[in-house]
Amino acid sequence: MENVKVIIWGLGAMGGGVADMLLTKKGVDIVGVAGRGKKIGTSMYDYIKTEKGDREDVLIQAAEDVIKPGAADIVILCTDSFTKNAFPRLKFIMEQGINVITSAEEMAYPAAQNPDLAEELDKIAKANGVSCLGTGINPGHIMDLLVLVMTGCMTDVKHILSRRVNSLSPFGPAVMEEQGIGISVDEFMKRKADGSMAGHVGFAESVGMMAEGLGLCVEDFSQDMNPIATDVDRKSPYGFAAAGSCAGVSMTADAKLCNGMEIRMEHPQQIEPEQVGVQTGDYVIIEGTPAVNMVNSPEVEGGLGTIAMCANMIPQVINAEPGLHTMITLPIPRALMGDVRDRICPDKKIVK
Amino acid sequence: MENVKVIIWGLGAMGGGVADMLLTKKGVDIVGVAGRGKKIGTSMYDYIKTEKGDREDVLIQAAEDVIKPGAADIVILCTDSFTKNAFPRLKFIMEQGINVITSAEEMAYPAAQNPDLAEELDKIAKANGVSCLGTGINPGHIMDLLVLVMTGCMTDVKHILSRRVNSLSPFGPAVMEEQGIGISVDEFMKRKADGSMAGHVGFAESVGMMAEGLGLCVEDFSQDMNPIATDVDRKSPYGFAAAGSCAGVSMTADAKLCNGMEIRMEHPQQIEPEQVGVQTGDYVIIEGTPAVNMVNSPEVEGGLGTIAMCANMIPQVINAEPGLHTMITLPIPRALMGDVRDRICPDKKIVK
């Protein structure tokens, strides 16, 4: 079998990370990178951590010039967070007859906020005989999929608390800016009011996925964000929060499902939580029979986790029945450790 | 859509528990119970915890009299631990054109120890257009599936330690006898030598499933069992271990995969671990990028967990492509909380 052929669209932290990861794997080739502006014509290796060495070069091209029928088995799209922004790109990829995985957070469960677009994507996928998946660490795994997997050993579920306490310290300047690291509490409240405070994108999607997974639906959903004001100076590689300013954002959501069951989501993210004695971790706390009281500590690092999920789901998406998928319609995620080709159904291979 | 129709074969602790659980769910009916000997002709309700109340009675019948073409959408077979014992029953069920889930431990990954029978089961399933799955809490979830799910957020995996420290206190006299609770260490070693010490069935299956899940294969595998001698008297509802005798069994396994990676399995099971300060729990400890350091404490109770897994996987197995499945070829397990029919593809329904 030919190696699995992958095109990466967007070489930011996520797309670049996927490139670095795939270059360490067997049976898979990066056959193209789609980008724009001044990056076009330059080498992929100028933007990732891996050195080119003896490898053949991969030049960045306009999407239209590289994503063509038969050019690859799958495209990894890492350019957006929101379904409506990713939609035209997803449509274009699938209309070339190529499968796609995207790291866009809302695409982990697009039916939550864009049911019409989700339906449209499903139609486009089926019409072109390909599959589409949105995934990442969160939404996509740690606050939703993992919760569902644990309910698999329960005879009854009464209440779900999904908590991710993470450190923003590993992230770069863009995330520091986006999450308001170092701004005043007043400024935070102003940004929150005008909608320019990013916070975490994905609670509605996680809740929607969990509800569908359990065979229920969402009756009420609300979310909130509040500043994590620090009482000591905190300094991370790319961020600084003076005492009294914002060291992070605390996001929460509350949902009620159609059977009356409640889901609580808690996601405080901040730089240098250790400095103030906060133990980071991923918590799955489920009331029911039997109860679940699980923690992974420290938390799975968000960047690496999303990169891994996008790459590790490649075989499942290539092998899937055509359509729009979510993490609950495909076999479980797991690390790609052998030859990727061994996990591909021959009749699903596009580049033969 | 007609309710999902289920036949339960074997009304011991597992089959009876599945019956109790399904009686609390919507959109699903227990339409028959297969048993043998004196149980035939008696009521299912004589052997389970749920009271009959206003429900229609379900009488236990010989398998041949109840498992017939079109009689049910799925059979839950809870009579065996080993593939070779379950095989003729699985064959019979599938030849009647009915899907099957079994709690037989070895059936969680039958290719590990009975590759010929696994292949045969796959052929029978395909020839009859039905699906077959072996599942349970362990093997099937907590020491294998959960590990794989966590590798899904990893870019590289270096070493797996899967540890389940559980209490045998909730279990009845059969398990006390089987696990040698209260016997002397000499007696334990004698039983171990002559192969009559049960211990845990499933390490080879868990390791096989994890290897395949990662796209690797098993190069070396060995397991061992040792007595957990207690230095204080321990008393559980159905067991007693005097100081100096055996309060449980400590099972371990070591595997080496074809890429050199090692998997270590540790599963000490004993009555009243709290009495000697042992904290029970399910541990997933993975070296790699990023590392995983997860614990669910206390552990998911084995009996309830297996009952839940067998019942919760019903939709996935009915909806599956025909063949022999494992937990890594189907969508993720999760609790049945809504109407079970909502999760069934209409064209996969047998009893229309």
Side-chain angles (χ1 to χ4, degrees):
Chain A
M1 187 188 281
E2 280 273 322
N3 279 359
V4 174
K5 310 289 188 188
V6 180
I7 292 170
I8 297 174
W9 190 342
L11 266 195
M14 294 304 103
V18 171
D20 284 317
M21 176 176 165
L22 291 179
L23 288 169
T24 70
K25 303 295 174 184
K26 270 179 254 169
V28 57
D29 298 328
I30 300 172
V31 295
V33 172
R36 59 184 182 176
K38 285 186 183 166
K39 282 187 178 174
I40 290 176
T42 63
S43 168
M44 164 179 88
Y45 293 98
D46 295 344
Y47 305 93
I48 65 176
K49 290 179 187 157
T50 312
E51 293 196 11
K52 180 176 165 293
D54 297 336
R55 296 182 186 87
E56 216 175 305
D57 207 357
V58 179
L59 299 181
I60 300 174
Q61 295 175 269
E64 302 71 38
D65 294 330
V66 61
I67 302 171
K68 294 178 170 179
D73 296 295
I74 195 160
V75 173
I76 311 290
L77 175 71
C78 298
T79 55
D80 306 280
S81 286
F82 304 107
T83 298
K84 65 176 194 296
N85 299 340
F87 181 84
R89 297 189 176 104
L90 295 167
K91 182 169 187 280
F92 172 75
I93 295 163
M94 292 195 282
E95 285 175 349
Q96 311 311 307
I98 304 182
N99 302 293
V100 60
I101 293 175
T102 173
S103 59
E105 287 94 327
E106 284 189 356
M107 278 296 299
Y109 195 79
Q113 303 196 66
N114 303 92
D116 295 350
L117 293 182
E119 205 173 305
E120 185 70 14
L121 286 168
D122 188 52
K123 277 186 200 157
I124 297 167
K126 285 174 176 155
N128 292 281
V130 295
S131 298
C132 173
L133 171 74
T135 194
I137 191 69
N138 181 33
H141 191 297
I142 215 83
M143 290 190 82
D144 39 38
L145 181 84
L146 184 59
V147 174
L148 285 172
V149 167
M150 292 312 295
T151 71
C153 25
M154 300 177 69
T155 59
D156 192 27
V157 180
K158 298 284 190 203
H159 183 272
I160 289 171
L161 168 57
S162 184
R163 181 191 291 146
R164 177 162 163 83
V165 183
N166 70 324
S167 173
L168 292 176
S169 292
F171 292 90
V175 170
M176 296 301 112
E177 164 61 24
E178 217 174 82
Q179 305 294 335
I181 304 306
I183 66 174
S184 71
V185 171
D186 283 354
E187 172 68 14
F188 181 103
M189 298 315 282
K190 208 185 299 171
R191 290 195 196 176
K192 176 182 168 181
D194 71 17
S196 66
M197 193 66 216
H200 167 66
V201 176
F203 277 162
E205 290 67 29
S206 289
V207 165
M209 188 194 297
M210 285 190 276
E212 185 193 321
L214 296 171
L216 300 169
C217 53
V218 182
E219 208 153 76
D220 280 318
F221 174 83
S222 63
Q223 64 177 28
D224 197 12
M225 59 167 76
N226 282 292
I228 299 176
T230 181
D231 47 16
V232 296
D233 287 358
R234 298 197 211 175
K235 192 175 173 352
S236 67
Y238 297 96
F240 175 72
S245 74
C246 293
V249 184
S250 176
M251 298 273 313
T252 55
D254 289 284
K256 194 172 170 185
L257 305 189
C258 50
N259 69 340
M261 195 187 118
E262 291 175 359
I263 297 179
R264 166 82 175 170
M265 314 283 291
E266 297 178 352
H267 188 16
Q269 28 186 6
Q270 59 200 296
I271 59 166
E272 302 298 297
E274 304 78 9
Q275 253 183 260
V276 292
V278 172
Q279 175 70 37
T280 61
D282 299 306
Y283 298 79
V284 177
I285 296 164
I286 316 178
E287 289 170 28
T289 313
V292 167
N293 176 42
M294 196 162 80
V295 57
N296 173 56
S297 184
E299 84 282 14
V300 173
E301 197 211 298
L304 280 171
T306 293
I307 289 162
M309 288 293 286
C310 288
N312 287 330
M313 289 303 291
I314 288 174
Q316 286 91 320
V317 173
I318 292 177
N319 292 341
E321 285 302 293
L324 172 65
H325 285 275
T326 68
M327 290 304 298
I328 59 175
T329 63
L330 296 172
I332 61 158
R334 64 260 195 185
L336 287 175
M337 293 301 295
D339 191 312
V340 181
R341 291 172 297 178
D342 295 344
R343 289 192 34 207
I344 306 296
C345 303
D347 60 332
K348 294 288 189 176
K349 191 85 173 63
I350 294 175
V351 188
K352 309 241 181 190
Chain B
M1 187 188 282
E2 281 274 323
N3 279 358
V4 174
K5 309 290 187 188
V6 179
I7 292 171
I8 297 176
W9 190 342
L11 266 195
M14 295 304 103
V18 170
D20 284 317
M21 176 175 166
L22 290 179
L23 288 168
T24 69
K25 301 295 174 185
K26 271 180 253 168
V28 58
D29 297 328
I30 300 173
V31 294
V33 172
R36 58 182 182 178
K38 287 185 182 165
K39 283 187 178 174
I40 289 177
T42 62
S43 168
M44 164 179 88
Y45 293 97
D46 295 345
Y47 305 94
I48 65 176
K49 290 178 188 159
T50 311
E51 293 196 12
K52 181 176 163 294
D54 297 336
R55 295 183 187 88
E56 215 176 306
D57 207 358
V58 180
L59 299 180
I60 300 175
Q61 294 175 269
E64 301 72 38
D65 294 329
V66 62
I67 301 170
K68 293 176 170 180
D73 296 296
I74 194 159
V75 173
I76 312 289
L77 175 71
C78 299
T79 55
D80 307 280
S81 285
F82 304 107
T83 298
K84 65 176 193 296
N85 300 339
F87 181 84
R89 299 190 175 104
L90 295 168
K91 182 170 187 281
F92 172 74
I93 295 163
M94 292 194 283
E95 284 176 348
Q96 310 312 306
I98 305 182
N99 301 293
V100 59
I101 293 176
T102 174
S103 60
E105 287 94 326
E106 284 188 358
M107 278 297 298
Y109 195 78
Q113 303 196 67
N114 301 92
D116 295 350
L117 293 182
E119 205 174 305
E120 185 69 13
L121 287 168
D122 188 51
K123 277 187 199 156
I124 296 167
K126 286 175 175 155
N128 291 282
V130 294
S131 297
C132 174
L133 172 72
T135 193
I137 191 68
N138 182 30
H141 191 296
I142 215 83
M143 290 190 83
D144 38 38
L145 181 83
L146 184 58
V147 175
L148 284 173
V149 167
M150 292 311 296
T151 70
C153 26
M154 300 176 69
T155 60
D156 191 28
V157 179
K158 297 284 191 205
H159 183 271
I160 289 171
L161 167 57
S162 184
R163 180 192 292 147
R164 177 162 163 83
V165 183
N166 71 323
S167 173
L168 293 176
S169 292
F171 292 90
V175 171
M176 296 301 113
E177 164 60 24
E178 217 175 82
Q179 305 294 335
I181 305 306
I183 66 174
S184 69
V185 172
D186 282 353
E187 173 67 14
F188 181 103
M189 298 314 283
K190 209 186 296 171
R191 290 195 197 176
K192 176 183 168 181
D194 71 16
S196 66
M197 193 64 217
H200 167 65
V201 176
F203 277 162
E205 289 68 27
S206 289
V207 165
M209 188 194 298
M210 285 190 274
E212 186 192 320
L214 297 171
L216 299 169
C217 53
V218 182
E219 208 154 74
D220 279 319
F221 174 82
S222 63
Q223 64 177 28
D224 197 10
M225 60 168 73
N226 282 292
I228 300 177
T230 182
D231 47 16
V232 295
D233 287 358
R234 299 197 211 176
K235 193 175 173 352
S236 68
Y238 297 97
F240 175 72
S245 74
C246 294
V249 184
S250 176
M251 299 271 315
T252 54
D254 289 284
K256 193 172 171 185
L257 306 189
C258 51
N259 69 341
M261 197 188 117
E262 289 174 2
I263 297 179
R264 166 83 176 172
M265 314 285 289
E266 297 179 353
H267 188 15
Q269 26 186 7
Q270 58 201 296
I271 59 166
E272 302 298 296
E274 306 77 10
Q275 254 183 261
V276 291
V278 171
Q279 174 70 39
T280 61
D282 299 306
Y283 299 79
V284 176
I285 297 164
I286 316 178
E287 290 171 27
T289 312
V292 167
N293 177 42
M294 195 161 82
V295 57
N296 172 56
S297 184
E299 84 281 16
V300 173
E301 197 210 300
L304 281 171
T306 293
I307 289 163
M309 287 293 286
C310 288
N312 287 331
M313 288 302 292
I314 288 175
Q316 287 91 321
V317 173
I318 292 177
N319 293 342
E321 286 301 293
L324 171 66
H325 285 275
T326 67
M327 291 302 299
I328 58 175
T329 64
L330 296 172
I332 61 157
R334 63 262 194 183
L336 288 175
M337 293 302 296
D339 191 312
V340 181
R341 291 173 296 180
D342 295 344
R343 288 190 36 205
I344 306 296
C345 304
D347 60 332
K348 293 288 189 174
K349 191 84 172 64
I350 293 174
V351 188
K352 308 237 182 194

